Amino acid sequence: MRVTQQDIARISGVSQATVSRVLGGDDRVDGEIRDRVLAVMKSHNYQPDVRARNLRQRKTHLIGLVLKREQGTLKGDPFFAMLVSEIVDALAGTPWHLCVDIANDSSRQKHVYDDLLRTRRVDGLMMVEVEPSDNRILALKADNFPFVLIGNASEVPELNAIDNDNVFAGKIATQHLVENGYEKVAFLGGPANLTVTQDRVAGYSGIVDQPIIRYAEFGWQDARQVALQLLRGNNRPDAIVAMDDTMALGVVQAARELGLALGDDLGVVGFNDSSVCDLIFGGLTSVNLQIESMVRWAIRRLIQVIEDEPLTGPTQDTVGCQLVVRGSTKRRPTVGAR
């Protein structure tokens, strides 16, 4: 009969948790107790299972992803559904798995990261939606903890990071609207402190003469409220570039409530080219950001960092983007026009 970890604990006169700590190399275990447990393992030819070997090697084969969202909102966010799906697909066939946590504010986020660093329950982290001078990055670097960033790392050039050219993405979305005859284009951004918001605003601002910029929390509900205020105002835009497809959906809902025809009365562009785009009659014009390419680069690099393998290629890279035009930015010809 195979000797189990419970058997080792009983024979050694310690708890199973102590045996687990010995297997994990926890230096807080008393030296005499550790020696006794190891001696019992040797005398009974104890062979730890895969999980125990992972503990001894200080490997969980878990990759962490912490999302800053209100609890219950992820199910309505196609970007993170797409992101998580791409990560899971990229990890398929490998010994690595994904661990997802949610932090709905900065203090909770700090607690989550402190817990991950202290307990080492994941081997590495993927970061998204960073802020300039992000304290999470400082904490991870100080602890020499493996992580890769999906986002703008221009302020910390030594980081491993992959990003879109979000300035260019904001530019082509806005330029498309201007070239299609929209004269008063507004930008509805996500949280203003995020670098991705700032980059897309910069691209938008480089095209329009008189920027109209508003900010909202991620999700269609808050975007709808801000869009309603914007579209009811005296300086009503005839087109809106929204931070992502979900927020664009909120803009579309606001337009419907006000009796505005999508495309004719109001042009709308989103980002991510997600499944939301096909839920809108005529389709939502959106910028495809090649999320799959970013995720696969990030996964490869993170595993290299965790395994302390030689790094090949640049530590930071950028993927391209492409505008996918649909009905939300197509105006019907004016009656009588030739």
Side-chain angles (χ1 to χ4, degrees), residues 258-276:
L258 298 176
L260 301 175
L262 196 62
D264 289 330
D265 299 324
L266 183 70
V268 182
V269 178
F271 293 84
N272 297 330
D273 193 28
S274 67
S275 58
V276 164

Side-chain angles (χ1 to χ4, degrees), residues 109-178:
Q109 204 165 49
K110 182 179 185 303
H111 171 76
V112 169
Y113 277 92
D114 286 346
D115 180 61
L116 291 174
L117 291 175
R118 185 178 65 256
T119 62
R120 292 298 196 271
R121 61 186 172 92
V122 297
D123 295 326
L125 284 167
M126 295 184 68
M127 294 184 64
V128 294
E129 296 184 346
V130 297
E131 304 172 8
S133 304
D134 199 305
N135 290 328
R136 296 172 299 169
I137 292 177
L138 300 177
L140 292 167
K141 283 176 60 64
D143 203 74
N144 199 30
F145 195 84
F147 72 99
V148 167
L149 169 66
I150 297 180
N152 189 337
S154 58
E155 293 192 2
V156 193
E158 68 273 15
L159 293 185
N160 290 289
I162 183 77
D163 196 18
N164 309 108
D165 185 343
N166 280 299
V167 175
F168 179 69
K171 178 180 178 179
I172 63 173
T174 310
Q175 187 69 49
H176 168 71
L177 290 167
V178 172

Side-chain angles (χ1 to χ4, degrees), residues 34-105:
R34 181 187 300 105
D35 291 343
R36 183 166 76 246
V37 171
L38 291 174
V40 171
M41 290 180 183
K42 182 177 181 180
S43 65
H44 288 78
N45 194 28
Y46 173 67
Q47 298 295 324
D49 59 19
V50 173
R51 181 173 179 273
R53 286 198 301 272
N54 286 340
L55 286 171
R56 188 174 68 251
Q57 296 166 1
R58 294 187 178 274
K59 287 285 194 304
T60 65
H61 283 101
L62 290 176
I63 288 174
L65 174 67
V66 182
L67 308 178
K68 188 177 180 182
R69 286 291 187 275
E70 292 292 335
Q71 187 173 0
T73 60
L74 285 181
K75 59 187 176 183
D77 192 325
F79 169 72
F80 278 113
M82 188 186 309
L83 177 66
V84 171
S85 175
E86 294 294 353
I87 294 173
V88 171
D89 285 347
L91 294 176
T94 77
W96 300 90
H97 303 278
L98 179 64
C99 173
V100 181
D101 211 334
I102 299 176
N104 58 5
D105 56 40

Side-chain angles (χ1 to χ4, degrees), residues 212-240:
I212 305 171
I213 303 169
R214 300 291 186 274
Y215 299 97
E217 293 300 317
F218 285 116
W220 72 268
Q221 297 95 332
D222 201 42
R224 169 186 164 273
Q225 290 291 343
V226 176
L228 282 171
Q229 296 171 8
L230 187 59
L231 294 172
R232 284 171 174 160
N234 295 328
N235 193 32
R236 182 176 76 80
D238 61 358
I240 296 177

